[in-house]
Structure formats: C-alpha cells, structure tokens
Amino acid sequence: MNTATVANIPGVPDYTCTVFAPRRSEYCLLIPVINEGSRILTELGRAQKAGIDKVVDIILCDGGSTDGSMKPGTLELYGVNTLLIKTGPGKQGAQLRMGLHFALARNYKGILTIDGNNKDSIEDVPRFIAKLQEGYDLVQGSRFVPGGHAINTPKSRYLAVRLIHAPVISAAARHWFTDTTNAYRAYSREYLTHPGVRPLRDVFMGYELLAYLSIRATQLGLKACEVPVTRAYPASGKTPTKISGVKGNSDLLKVLFAAARGKYNP
C-alpha cells in the first residue's frame, strides 16, 4: 500500500491517492462515491463475485466520505486497486476529473465509470470493454435498449429522461441516445485526450462533465454506441440518488441546456 498527495495541477482538484496494487489491466473502472455506506461494499462484492476486478482495475473516487465505508483494509479485500480521496473543491465532476487525471497518467486504454450506489449491473463491464476494443470512443449504458432492464424506475425520472434529457442530448450530439443521465459508460483514451475535448477543466464541478461528454464525441466525428445494462431502484424505501428536490432537478436541467448550447466546449 502506497499513499501520495497530488496538488496544484490546473484543472484537477487536490487529492490523496492510496494504491493497493500496480496497474494490472488496460482498462479501469472509476466509481465516484460519497457516504454510500453498505451500498458500495455490496456493489464491490458483486464485482468480485463476477470477476470484474480481474478484468478492470477498480478505482474509487471518494468525495470525502465520513461514514467509515472507505477503510483501506476493507477496500483492498474487496478487490479495489486504488482509492482516491478528493481534498479540493467540487462535487461529482471534480471527483471524475480526479479519477480521469489518475487514469490518464497511468496510461489506461479505456476508462469506464459507474455509480457507487449499487443500482447498476456492474457485471456488464465486459460489454463496455468489447465495444472499446471494436473502436468505439463513447459507450453509453442504457436500460432502454433491447436487452436492458429498467427496474422500479421512478415515473418522474423515467419521463424526464425519455422526454427531456435524452432528446436534448441527442439533438446536440446529432446521435440518438436513450439513457443519457446514466453514468454507466466507457470512454476511449483517444476521446479523453482529444484536443477538442479537454475534460480536465474547473468548469466541471457538478454534473456538467457527464452531459458534456455525452455530446462532444459525435460532434467531433468519433464513434459512439449504447450497450444494454440493468438499473434497479429499490422496491420501497428511500431512492439512492444525489439528485432530489426541485433545486436538484432544476440544476440538472440548467446543466443540460448549457451543454447543449456548447457552453463547455473548449
């Protein structure tokens, strides 16, 4: 186990990096988390059972959890390769920039992302890798394409994605996508290092980066596709999400239309 501090890099939040194992794969899986408690450990257990930790290097991008879920000894037992802890400002976009910085510096060929709240079929990671190996630059997971499954999706969330978010993103990208709020994705190194992309910028603090990266690939003539995945919400109880309430959804729509207008293009 080796821990280091990364600081004062333009476009990258300061962070600490604890490496449990050397790079073992050409691909990595970034999982942004903050106070996910047992959900992230359950997700990591599913990944380990399916052998996903042997297919990709699992990198947790922690936003500063205080619930005890990020204990290094436990994470190492669950097959985590590296733990990044953000100490600089920002939310999900900053966590992803932290992860992208580390992953690009480690020379991964492809970078996958997935939420850490145990809603997504982490067992489907090989589908994303197969598409990257076929030459795709953006691989979007979708519960709405044949083979995908949307389980207990809240009606308001379903309508927002299908009637607003996906059509707006698709129009801006000039490519049809069906599940654009889904953070389960894969990006090629060529896409992320393209001079017309520049994902490591401080403008990406919240959900801007996800919307931007959904649009930019096909605008630049790069290849994009969708693969079927499962996203399952609990049948009862509180919905595990960081987007809630009028303000949360309003902010998401502001980001959506700003990205569609090209606000984040370099």
Side-chain angles (χ1 to χ4, degrees):
M1 187 185 302
N2 179 39
T3 300
T5 299
V6 179
N8 302 317
I9 297 176
V12 179
D14 293 351
Y15 66 94
T16 61
C17 169
T18 300
V19 177
F20 304 121
R23 181 186 131 171
R24 293 172 174 166
S25 172
E26 293 183 323
Y27 304 93
C28 69
L29 176 64
L30 304 181
I31 309 180
V33 294
I34 183 163
N35 293 328
E36 294 295 353
S38 62
R39 291 187 293 267
I40 180 59
L41 297 181
T42 300
E43 183 170 308
L44 292 172
R46 288 171 52 201
Q48 199 169 41
K49 183 177 180 180
I52 300 303
D53 58 324
K54 302 296 190 297
V55 177
V56 293
D57 291 343
I58 296 176
I59 300 171
L60 295 187
C61 304
D62 181 47
S65 295
T66 57
D67 62 354
S69 60
M70 294 290 105
K71 294 178 180 178
T74 301
L75 298 179
E76 190 172 10
L77 289 175
Y78 274 89
V80 173
N81 179 280
T82 302
L83 170 64
L84 309 178
I85 301 178
K86 181 178 66 66
T87 56
K91 295 184 178 180
Q92 189 203 49
Q95 290 169 252
L96 288 173
R97 284 187 287 122
M98 168 179 71
L100 292 177
H101 174 261
F102 177 82
L104 291 172
R106 229 184 190 191
N107 294 314
Y108 287 105
K109 286 180 62 176
I111 298 171
L112 290 74
T113 64
I114 191 174
D115 286 340
N117 52 22
N118 196 39
K119 288 190 299 191
D120 298 297
S121 52
I122 198 167
E123 298 85 356
D124 287 323
V125 158
R127 290 181 171 179
F128 292 83
I129 294 176
K131 290 300 182 182
L132 289 175
Q133 291 173 338
E134 289 175 22
Y136 286 93
D137 299 289
L138 167 62
V139 186
Q140 173 67 62
S142 176
R143 65 200 121 162
F144 303 126
V145 295
H149 301 280
I151 300 174
N152 299 323
T153 305
K155 187 174 181 179
S156 60
R157 186 67 54 88
Y158 175 86
L159 293 174
V161 173
R162 301 291 275 164
L163 300 181
I164 301 174
H165 206 279
V168 172
I169 290 288
S170 298
R174 299 186 292 276
H175 181 98
W176 181 245
F177 293 104
T178 63
D179 200 3
T180 48
T181 61
N182 198 335
Y184 199 178
R185 306 165 174 200
Y187 309 103
S188 71
R189 181 179 184 85
E190 289 74 18
Y191 178 27
L192 295 171
T193 58
H194 191 291
V197 180
R198 295 180 54 214
L200 301 183
R201 289 180 279 144
D202 289 335
V203 68
F204 302 120
M205 286 290 187
Y207 293 100
E208 303 91 350
L209 188 56
L210 285 179
Y212 170 70
L213 289 175
S214 294
I215 293 170
R216 196 63 177 145
T218 48
Q219 286 183 338
L220 294 169
L222 301 176
K223 293 179 64 179
C225 68
E226 292 184 312
V227 295
V229 297
T230 296
R231 169 160 276 213
Y233 288 79
S236 61
K238 186 178 179 181
T239 298
T241 181
K242 297 295 187 293
I243 304 171
S244 61
V246 174
K247 186 180 186 303
N249 285 285
S250 175
D251 289 346
L252 187 63
L253 287 175
K254 289 177 182 177
V255 165
L256 167 65
F257 289 111
R261 293 194 307 269
K263 176 180 177 179
Y264 308 119
N265 293 357

